[in-house]
Amino acid sequence: MLTKRILNRPAPSTQPAAQPATAPVATAADCGLLLLRLTFGLLMAAHGAQKVFGLFGGEGLAATGKGFAALGYHPGKLFAAVGGLSELLGGLGLALGLLTPLAAAALIGVMINAMATVTGAHGLWATEGGVEYSVCIAVVALAVAAIGPGRLAVDRLFRWGTGGWKEAAFALGLGGIAAAVTLSI
């Protein structure tokens, strides 16, 4: 009887197992990227809003412009507006997952400027006024450009929405060029 069951068993299928009809709406990675983008992006946007609009306890454009002028950026108010808007719009772009490589480039460029003019002379650690914080911001922005914003992003509709080497190179290259131009003026 046991022999009959073994001999009459159907042959194993060579067809792959059936996949679910639809992929899950969001994976843990998508949700993790959304959490990272929202937290990081909205904090950077708020930081920019402090400079440009004086929101969230910020000094506003006039006072920030004086600070920029003291750092050697002339006209200070113009450069404060560019830096603040780069943080504001770059942060919002990352939060939404909208034009992610461009948003990352904006934040990378601002952080390179911050490292070159404010924190670079103070070493690595933020406790000593060093570059630690600026490096972290630039690296997170670059990483999001490389990884892509995830499925829960506006960019999922565009070809750059998946991230990759080209998107990361674009963000780093454009951010670096913008910083170099700004620093040379």
Side-chain angles (χ1 to χ4, degrees), residues 44-45 47-49 51-52 68 79-89 110:
M44 288 308 303
H47 193 72
K51 289 179 175 73
V52 178
F68 270 62
F79 281 100
V82 169
L85 286 171
S86 294
E87 290 175 348
L88 176 66
L89 297 175
V110 170

Side-chain angles (χ1 to χ4, degrees), residues 88-167:
L88 176 66
L89 297 175
L92 289 175
L94 281 187
L96 294 170
L98 176 63
L99 303 173
T100 302
L102 187 59
L107 295 175
I108 290 168
V110 170
M111 290 305 112
I112 291 172
N113 270 278
M115 288 183 268
T117 60
V118 180
T119 60
H122 302 286
L124 176 61
W125 304 113
T127 54
E128 304 297 321
V131 298
E132 174 187 11
Y133 180 67
S134 299
V135 168
C136 289
I137 291 170
V139 168
V140 168
L142 180 59
V144 172
I147 295 166
R151 203 176 323 185
L152 303 174
V154 177
D155 275 349
R156 75 181 181 282
L157 304 171
F158 304 105
R159 63 184 159 94
W160 61 80
T162 57
W165 288 111
K166 288 179 185 175
E167 290 79 359

